[in-house]
Structure formats: C-alpha cells, structure tokens
C-alpha cells in the first residue's frame, strides 16, 4: 500500500511510475532499472513522495538530464492539479516583460 499526499492509502501501481518515466523520454531499460530499484526499497505504507525520491535518486545516479526532467515535471505538478496556475504565472511574466519592451 502507498500513502498519497492527501493521506489516502491505495495499492501501489507500478504502471503509473512507468508511465511517468516514459513521459520524460527515457528508455525501457532505465525504466525497468528504476522500477526494480523502487520495488526493492518499497514497504507497506511508503509515501508517494518517498517513491518519487527513490526514483529521482536512481535517475540522478544513472542519467542526470533525465533526473532534471523528472524533477521539473514534479515541480510543475506542484503548481496545481489543473496546470492553470502555471499558465497564469507564465501569462503574468509575459505581461510584465511587455511593460519593459
């Protein structure tokens, strides 16, 4: 079982981790290595944040550009579940830059 950020518990879905890693454009061999590494360290009640950290640490050791992309994806998702806060933020920056042009 995994504990999500909202405290809810659910079965760990390795497919979600694999899909997340595919979205950052890494190869299947590295995906398998990350999943195996996370699986080796996983325990009942592990948090999704801990799973992220385990995956990030493996990526950081093996392929730093992939780790950066994985980190960026997490950072953007923290801006809001819909993505709109991020879009609004970028819109504000663009508007401010126009003021200086």
């Amino acid at each position: 079982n995994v504990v999500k950020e909202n405290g809810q518990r659910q079965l760990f879905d390795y497919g979600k981790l694999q899909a997340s890693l595919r979205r950052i454009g890494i190869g299947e061999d590295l995906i398998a290595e990350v999943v195996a590494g996370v699986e080796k360290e996983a325990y009942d009640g592990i948090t999704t944040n801990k799973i992220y950290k385990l995956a990030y640490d493996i990526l950081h050791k093996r392929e730093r550009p992939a780790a950066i992309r994985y980190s960026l994806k997490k950072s953007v998702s923290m801006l809001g579940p819909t993505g709109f806060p991020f879009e609004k933020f970028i819109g504000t920056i663009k508007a401010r830059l126009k003021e200086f042009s």
Side-chain angles (χ1 to χ4, degrees), residues 35-74:
V35 170
V38 169
E39 187 174 36
K40 187 172 89 173
E41 298 292 325
Y43 52 88
D44 186 35
I46 191 170
T47 64
T48 53
N49 196 39
K50 178 69 175 173
I51 291 169
Y52 164 80
K53 176 91 170 89
L54 290 169
Y56 175 83
D57 288 346
I58 295 166
L59 287 172
H60 189 262
K61 289 176 188 169
R62 293 274 287 118
E63 193 176 309
R64 284 191 180 181
I68 292 168
R69 289 190 306 273
Y70 194 63
S71 177
L72 178 62
K73 178 185 170 293
K74 170 100 170 154

Side-chain angles (χ1 to χ4, degrees), residues 12-38:
F12 182 52
D13 182 355
Y14 287 98
K16 286 182 180 180
L17 177 58
Q18 291 169 328
S20 178
L21 295 168
R22 280 188 188 102
R23 280 192 297 272
I24 63 167
I26 63 174
E28 292 298 319
D29 289 344
L30 185 52
I31 290 172
E33 184 180 331
V34 171
V35 170
V38 169

